[in-house]
Amino acid sequence: GLAWICVGRAVVWLGDTGAYLGGRAFGRHKLHERVSPKKTWEGALSGLITSVAAALVMREAFRRLDLWEGPLLRIADCVAVAVFAGILGQVGDLAESLLKRAVGVKDSGTMFPGHGGMLDRIDALLFALPGVYFYAKFVISRFPLTQA
């Protein structure tokens, strides 16, 4: 339900921020220069680490506020869903960059100046949220959670 959407959004958006900051601070090795020239492997790894941290923080916040419906996510599930969604989000970001390169534009719109347009705000979500749903629906249902 709502908690899964919140976890998915936090994982993607904070992971994206972590990738940007980590890439700026530590980025040396280009991820795919032709598709997205500023993205680095170090940024991608920083994004995944931040995604995991976001999932763990969301788990704890929902636990403390008693907002999670049903058994609480295990820490291993937080790590797994964050890495899975984080990778899918980065793939979504690269896919959107590839579309922009194909049509020869830098930004996908002007609605959010300095942010590349509406599609840039949701590209990672378009790939990651279905992954979060898949994890919640099929992985968790096969390996039911026990109360943590």
Side-chain angles (χ1 to χ4, degrees):
L2 178 61
W4 280 105
I5 293 170
C6 291
V7 168
R9 289 174 64 175
V11 160
V12 169
W13 285 339
L14 293 173
D16 196 28
T17 301
Y20 172 76
L21 295 174
R24 295 278 308 212
F26 309 111
R28 301 288 179 267
H29 303 90
K30 299 294 182 184
L31 186 61
H32 199 305
E33 196 163 3
R34 264 191 16 236
V35 174
S36 194
K38 294 184 180 179
K39 287 186 178 32
T40 64
W41 283 103
E42 294 83 0
L45 181 59
S46 297
L48 290 178
I49 292 167
T50 308
S51 290
V52 170
L56 293 170
V57 167
M58 291 300 291
R59 174 190 186 268
E60 184 62 17
F62 275 95
R63 185 189 69 77
R64 287 180 185 227
L65 297 171
D66 197 29
L67 295 174
W68 193 271
E69 295 177 17
L72 193 63
L73 277 176
R74 295 175 290 237
I75 290 175
D77 288 308
C78 288
V79 172
V81 76
V83 169
F84 185 51
I87 290 170
L88 288 174
Q90 291 182 29
V91 168
D93 195 33
L94 288 170
E96 194 262 347
S97 292
L98 192 59
L99 288 174
K100 290 190 306 187
R101 300 288 176 262
V103 296
V105 297
K106 181 182 179 334
D107 295 332
S108 62
T110 58
M111 184 179 279
F112 301 112
H115 288 273
M118 179 60 94
L119 189 55
D120 276 321
R121 300 304 341 130
I122 64 169
D123 54 5
L125 287 173
L126 292 173
F127 280 65
L129 285 182
V132 171
Y133 174 80
F134 172 85
Y135 192 89
K137 182 78 174 167
F138 299 107
V139 176
I140 295 292
S141 67
R142 289 200 177 258
F143 307 101
L145 298 172
T146 55
Q147 197 62 39

